[in-house]
């Protein structure tokens, strides 16, 4: 199992709690780092600002990314992640309310690895989180070979 | 010279003249004629000798009164004694009418007394006929010249109007008589007058035809837009001696064109404005839908998520009623979320771009039917889907139509022990009518109009679930395709939903 942290970029605290609970239910014990928007997420990846001093040699196993957030949204953040040498290979899963076609297409265009619409029913949500956790944390061989 | 010789000499002389000659005595009675004269009238001398010249054939064309005055004139002319020239119409022995010019002089004796009158007769018939023909043709030409709706004139090399028709006269407000005295540019002018591009100048330079749209001006200052055509006016030897100009007044056409142009512009403006309004409305709808898609979906997810979390994690501290309330909270949130999703899909159906293509409706329906069976494998439903159904439209949207209609049929036959669903088409003269028929719960025709309106339901949620958006989506997709949607049914016996697609390109292959 890849035991690096999961970076959850999400501005809605309800969704943060529900996502964490779903991960726990799915027996995924990886650390969850929460960033409340794109700017915070970048600071975390670079060890700056609120995340000053974070060991940047430890990169997230997977980034779960909401789209609509204050300051810097998910698509803008994704663009920056993909254009930065140190982060461009990180698996990014879009996890969002919307299934608007333009969001889906734009996400894949910018290099998202997966796109998941948050289901309203918690059971389904838990299943979705579990599956993505299983895939990205167990099956997938990450760019950094599992730290 | 003796009298006899004189007489003989005179006879020989008269005979030798190639033109008809008559010799009259002093009273005007015929004494002699030559061969040419005999040929002219056809009378032998013995027929006419002693008769008055004017009695040889004048009677039939002249009245008695005219006859008397003619004879008097003739006698007076003879008496005048200084030669005469008179024109009469005779009828020959064979009945032919001939115009003859009589000219002559008197012969006098030594006492200055008139003895004879020598009359030369000149047959003018041919010339008369030619003159008449010229006159006739001139008259006909004038009729033609004046019959045309185009204004026409002939202008000589020196810019003088030498001829003009009635149409042009009334067009320019100048009489033909006045115009003949004037220069062409004083009758009907344009910006080309006195330039090298003057049509007359161009024709004189050797052009065979000059045609153009041109604004002409009358002496009164009225502008008349014309189509002008100028061609050379040639003499009998083919030398260009002027031009023939024809002017067609196109004021009405120009006005109509202007009006049409204005109308088109207005229409264009209106379309532009409407398009802008529509684009603005669409943009607003788009922004609204996007916001709904992201923001409105979060709260019900939170409610559903946390109520479920409480049910799962704290079930033991709640009694039955508490758990029921939370379950209802959860269901309400899920339902709200479904409604939001349906509103979004309805708006998406209107917003999305269409890409039309040929669709295999049979294959599409069979795929959807297979999916329905897969979801509820225990149900026994007889599905009859016709072969070779084809249509032209946006495949994704039409697929949504069939999903909704077949899904409805599937849903509303769920309480029927031997459910049957049909999908087929009826070929009509101008269009193909597709239909989905079931033998399920049906509906009351009184409420048929409500069925296609979003969120209007004819069944209660505890009978058949749903949000009431499916048929609204169907109707909107079909109307975007230029088709129609309608339904028939009755309670307990089933329902049939019909739709057409734009008649163009839609067909059933047999």
């Amino acid at each position: 199992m890849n035991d690096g942290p999961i970076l959850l970029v999400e501005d809605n605290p309800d969704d943060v709690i529900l996502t964490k609970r779903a991960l726990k239910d799915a027996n995924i014990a990886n650390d969850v780092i929460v960033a409340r928007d794109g700017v915070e997420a970048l600071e975390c990846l670079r060890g700056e600002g609120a995340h000053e001093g974070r060991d940047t040699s430890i990169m997230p196993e997977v980034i779960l990314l909401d789209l609509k957030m204050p300051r810097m949204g998910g698509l803008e953040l994704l663009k920056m992640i993909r254009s930065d040498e140190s982060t461009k290979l990180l698996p990014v899963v879009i996890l969002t309310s919307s299934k608007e076609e333009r969001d889906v297409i734009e996400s894949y265009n910018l290099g998202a690895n997966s796109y998941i619409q948050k289901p309203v029913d918690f059971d389904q949500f838990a299943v979705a989180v579990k599956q993505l956790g299983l895939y990205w944390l167990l099956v997938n061989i990450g760019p950094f070979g599992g730290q | 010279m003796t009298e006899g010789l004189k007489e003989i000499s005179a006879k020989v002389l008269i005979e030798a003249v190639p033109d008809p000659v008559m010799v009259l005595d002093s009273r005007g009675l015929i004494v002699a004629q030559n061969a040419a004269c005999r040929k002219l009238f056809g009378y032998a001398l013995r027929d006419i000798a002693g008769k008055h010249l004017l009695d040889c054939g004048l009677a039939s064309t002249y009245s008695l009164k005219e006859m008397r005055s003619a004879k008097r004139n003739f006698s007076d002319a003879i008496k005048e004694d200084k030669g005469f020239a008179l024109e009469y119409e005779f009828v020959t022995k064979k009945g032919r009418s001939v115009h003859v010019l009589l000219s002559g002089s008197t012969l006098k004796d030594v006492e200055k007394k008139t003895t004879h009158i020598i009359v030369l007769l000149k047959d003018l018939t041919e010339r008369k006929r030619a003159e008449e023909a010229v006159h006739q043709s001139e008259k006909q030409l004038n009729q033609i010249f004046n019959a045309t709706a185009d204004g026409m004139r002939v202008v000589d090399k020196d810019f003088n109007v030498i001829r003009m028709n009635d149409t042009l006269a009334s067009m320019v407000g100048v009489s033909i008589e006045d115009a003949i005295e004037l220069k062409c540019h004083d009758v009907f002018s344009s910006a080309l007058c006195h330039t090298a591009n003057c049509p007359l100048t161009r024709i004189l330079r050797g052009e065979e035809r000059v045609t153009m749209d041109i604004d002409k001006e009358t002496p009164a200052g009225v502008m008349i837009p014309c189509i002008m055509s100028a061609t050379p006016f040639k003499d009998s030897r083919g030398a260009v001696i002027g031009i023939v100009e024809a002017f067609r007044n196109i004021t009405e056409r120009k006005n109509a064109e202007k009006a049409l142009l204005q109308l088109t512009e207005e229409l264009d403006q209106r379309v532009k404005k409407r398009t802008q309004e529509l684009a603005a409305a669409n943009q607003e709808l788009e922004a609204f839908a996007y916001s709904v898609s992201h923001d409105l979906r979060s709260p019900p997810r939170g409610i559903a998520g946390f109520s479920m979390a409480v049910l799962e994690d704290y079930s033991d501290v709640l009694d039955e009623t508490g758990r029921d309330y939370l379950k209802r909270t959860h269901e309400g949130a899920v339902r709200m979320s479904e409604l939001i999703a349906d509103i979004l899909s309805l708006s998406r159906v209107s917003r999305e771009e269409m890409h039309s293509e040929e669709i295999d409706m049979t294959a599409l329906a069979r795929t959807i039917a297979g999916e329905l069976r897969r979801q509820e494998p225990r149900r026994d439903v007889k599905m009859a889907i016709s072969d070779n159904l084809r249509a032209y439209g946006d495949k994704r949207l039409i697929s949504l139509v069939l999903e909704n209609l077949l899904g409805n049929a599937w849903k509303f036959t769920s309480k029927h022990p031997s459910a049957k669903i049909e999908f087929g088409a009826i070929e009509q003269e101008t269009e193909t009518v597709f239909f989905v028929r079931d033998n399920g719960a049906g509906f009351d025709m009184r409420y048929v109009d409500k069925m296609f309106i979003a969120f209007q339901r004819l069944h209660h949620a505890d009978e058949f679930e749903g949000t009431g958006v499916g048929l609204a989506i169907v109707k909107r997709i079909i109307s975007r395709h230029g088709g129609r949607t309608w339904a028939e049914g009755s309670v307990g016996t089933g329902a049939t939903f019909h739709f057409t697609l734009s008649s163009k390109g839609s067909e059933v292959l047999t």
Side-chain angles (χ1 to χ4, degrees):
Chain A
M1 172 134 181
N2 306 328
D3 53 5
I6 293 166
L7 176 57
L8 176 62
V9 191
E10 171 65 79
D11 64 322
N12 183 343
D14 288 353
D15 281 345
V16 171
I17 293 172
L18 290 172
T19 308
K20 281 183 166 176
R21 184 169 179 272
L23 287 167
K24 199 177 105 196
D25 280 2
N27 294 319
I28 294 164
N30 301 50
D31 277 346
V32 177
I33 304 170
V34 178
R36 290 176 301 158
D37 58 39
V39 176
E40 265 191 44
L42 274 184
E43 285 174 350
C44 169
L45 292 172
R46 292 169 182 169
E48 296 166 354
H51 297 270
E52 180 81 57
R54 196 188 75 83
D55 181 359
T56 51
S57 69
I58 300 168
M59 278 294 168
E61 294 295 338
V62 63
I63 298 173
L64 306 182
L65 188 54
D66 190 17
L67 287 185
K68 201 165 171 253
M69 293 178 291
R71 295 204 285 179
M72 185 191 288
L75 292 175
E76 201 183 335
L77 174 63
L78 177 58
K79 205 186 294 178
M80 299 196 72
I81 289 171
R82 289 292 176 252
S83 59
D84 187 323
E85 223 21 68
S86 64
T87 56
K88 70 174 180 188
L89 297 174
L90 288 175
V92 173
V93 176
I94 305 295
L95 189 61
T96 182
S97 305
S98 151
K99 62 164 182 179
E100 288 291 301
E101 197 177 34
R102 61 169 156 149
D103 284 336
V104 180
I105 290 172
E106 188 62 8
S107 297
Y108 282 118
N109 267 343
L110 291 173
N113 298 77
S114 186
Y115 187 106
I116 293 168
Q117 188 193 17
K118 295 173 192 168
V120 69
D121 195 312
F122 183 77
D123 289 342
Q124 290 173 35
F125 186 63
V127 169
V129 169
K130 185 174 180 180
Q131 279 171 350
L132 78 89
L134 285 178
Y135 179 75
W136 292 108
L137 300 174
L138 282 179
V139 182
N140 184 50
I141 296 166
F144 304 106
Q147 294 139 353
Chain B
M1 195 181 286
T2 66
E3 281 298 310
L5 185 60
K6 267 187 198 167
E7 204 165 303
I8 292 166
S9 306
K11 269 186 183 167
V12 170
L13 207 63
I14 290 165
E15 261 334 302
V17 177
D19 287 327
V21 175
M22 271 187 182
V23 180
L24 312 179
D25 65 14
S26 56
R27 291 165 298 166
L29 303 179
I30 297 167
V31 175
Q33 69 172 350
N34 69 355
C37 191
R38 202 158 44 241
K39 200 175 160 202
L40 176 64
F41 288 138
Y43 297 112
L45 183 61
R46 64 173 176 277
D47 295 335
I48 55 175
K51 281 189 180 178
H52 191 287
L53 170 57
L54 294 185
D55 286 333
C56 296
L58 272 193
S60 63
T61 49
Y62 289 75
S63 69
L64 278 175
K65 197 176 158 201
E66 284 173 323
M67 189 69 189
R68 267 199 300 275
S69 96
K71 279 187 179 171
R72 201 166 37 246
N73 286 345
F74 188 68
S75 305
D76 291 349
I78 297 168
K79 281 177 199 150
E80 282 289 313
D81 193 24
K82 51 180 179 183
F84 57 89
L86 294 166
E87 200 181 317
Y88 296 99
E89 188 179 356
F90 289 86
V91 177
T92 65
K93 192 179 181 185
K94 285 183 175 168
R96 192 168 65 95
S97 159
V98 286
H99 284 270
V100 178
L101 178 70
L102 304 180
S103 60
S105 56
T106 50
L107 290 178
K108 294 178 191 302
D109 61 12
V110 281
E111 289 147 22
K112 306 271 183 198
K113 204 178 145 214
T114 298
T115 60
H116 291 91
I117 304 151
I118 304 289
V119 180
L120 287 165
L121 298 94
K122 192 157 180 65
D123 183 357
L124 299 178
T125 311
E126 278 311 307
R127 205 168 76 195
K128 277 275 173 190
R129 201 166 291 156
E131 272 172 19
E132 183 62 24
V134 168
H135 184 65
Q136 269 299 324
S137 108
E138 172 75 7
K139 244 167 88 179
Q140 284 171 355
L141 184 69
N142 245 326
Q143 282 177 37
I144 296 166
F145 197 53
N146 284 320
T148 165
D150 291 352
M152 290 184 80
R153 67 181 180 185
V154 180
V155 177
D156 73 10
K157 275 177 160 177
D158 300 318
F159 304 96
N160 297 307
V161 176
I162 54 175
R163 198 159 183 166
M164 182 163 101
N165 71 352
D166 293 342
T167 313
L168 187 59
S170 63
M171 203 190 280
V172 299
V174 177
S175 76
I176 294 172
E177 296 73 44
D178 290 349
I180 302 301
E181 306 280 307
L182 296 170
K183 295 283 183 189
C184 57
H185 42 79
D186 292 325
V187 177
F188 208 23
S189 65
S190 80
L192 296 184
C193 289
H194 312 294
T195 72
N197 288 323
C198 157
L200 173 58
T201 309
R202 285 175 60 180
I203 296 281
L204 291 177
R205 273 204 307 262
E207 286 186 50
E208 274 302 315
R209 180 181 281 276
V210 176
T211 310
M212 62 177 84
D213 276 22
I214 188 166
D215 287 330
K216 297 292 288 188
E217 189 177 355
T218 71
V222 179
M223 299 300 294
I224 302 178
C226 288
I227 295 175
M228 190 225 55
S229 163
T231 46
F233 187 58
K234 296 175 179 174
D235 65 13
S236 55
R237 289 186 308 278
V240 178
I241 54 169
I243 56 168
V244 180
E245 285 183 306
F247 303 96
R248 179 161 301 174
N249 184 341
I250 54 169
T251 307
E252 273 179 38
R253 202 186 75 191
K254 284 275 175 188
N255 286 345
E257 277 173 8
K258 218 182 281 173
L260 193 68
L261 201 70
Q262 202 177 344
L263 211 64
T264 312
E265 247 168 46
E266 271 174 29
L267 201 66
D268 220 40
Q269 282 300 321
R270 224 179 299 164
V271 168
K272 244 180 227 163
K273 190 162 167 266
R274 288 284 150 80
T275 310
Q276 276 169 359
E277 284 169 3
L278 202 64
N282 259 348
Q283 214 170 6
E284 220 165 87
L285 181 68
E286 181 81 17
F288 174 75
Y290 192 73
S291 159
V292 168
S293 193
H294 281 273
D295 299 340
L296 220 56
R297 287 170 74 93
S298 293
R301 196 172 51 243
I303 299 167
F306 287 113
S307 54
M308 188 52 69
V310 172
L311 271 176
E312 282 176 5
D313 299 353
Y314 303 97
S315 191
D316 49 342
V317 299
L318 289 170
D319 64 4
E320 191 57 38
T321 311
R323 283 195 293 273
D324 181 49
Y325 288 173
L326 270 181
K327 242 182 248 164
R328 286 175 185 278
T329 309
H330 178 258
E331 279 165 13
V334 169
R335 176 144 184 87
M336 182 175 180
S337 177
E338 282 169 5
L339 283 167
I340 292 168
D342 282 347
I343 293 176
L344 280 173
S345 53
L346 184 60
S347 83
R348 204 173 292 128
V349 158
S350 305
R351 288 181 286 137
E352 272 175 14
E353 256 180 67
M354 299 214 307
H355 304 283
S356 287
E357 59 182 305
E358 174 104 7
I359 305 167
D360 182 344
M361 298 290 270
T362 300
L364 202 57
R366 289 199 172 130
T367 307
I368 294 163
E371 180 63 22
L372 289 168
R373 283 192 197 284
R374 200 185 58 77
Q375 283 170 8
E376 287 184 81
R378 287 196 192 140
R379 280 195 55 192
D380 176 24
V381 179
K382 193 167 174 258
M383 296 274 233
I385 295 167
S386 298
D387 289 324
N388 298 320
L389 299 178
R390 293 190 166 271
Y392 192 75
D394 183 293
K395 193 173 177 184
R396 223 158 45 92
L397 291 176
I398 296 299
S399 166
L400 210 52
V401 167
L402 292 184
E403 277 169 32
N404 272 295
L405 292 180
L406 292 170
N408 274 354
W410 183 269
K411 179 165 72 183
F412 289 107
T413 51
S414 60
K415 290 168 186 167
H416 201 285
S418 54
K420 191 182 171 195
I421 297 171
E422 275 178 85
F423 174 55
I426 303 156
E427 190 64 23
Q428 293 191 340
E429 224 170 274
T430 54
E431 57 189 0
T432 304
V433 178
F434 292 95
F435 65 87
V436 174
R437 180 176 297 138
D438 68 61
N439 60 350
F443 62 89
D444 189 333
M445 276 300 274
R446 274 182 296 174
Y447 308 117
V448 67
D449 292 340
K450 288 194 167 182
M451 236 170 12
F452 292 99
I453 301 170
F455 305 110
Q456 293 276 359
R457 302 201 67 222
L458 299 189
H459 298 275
H460 292 281
D462 52 359
E463 284 180 291
F464 297 101
E465 56 182 31
T467 55
V469 171
L471 288 179
I473 288 178
V474 167
K475 185 176 180 178
R476 200 166 289 186
I477 292 174
I478 295 302
S479 90
R480 280 195 77 184
H481 281 80
R484 293 169 294 127
T485 330
W486 68 100
E488 284 158 10
S490 61
V491 176
T493 61
T496 306
F497 289 85
H498 303 268
F499 66 89
T500 63
L501 295 166
S502 168
S503 53
K504 199 173 98 191
S506 161
E507 55 175 347
V508 176
L509 299 180
T510 50

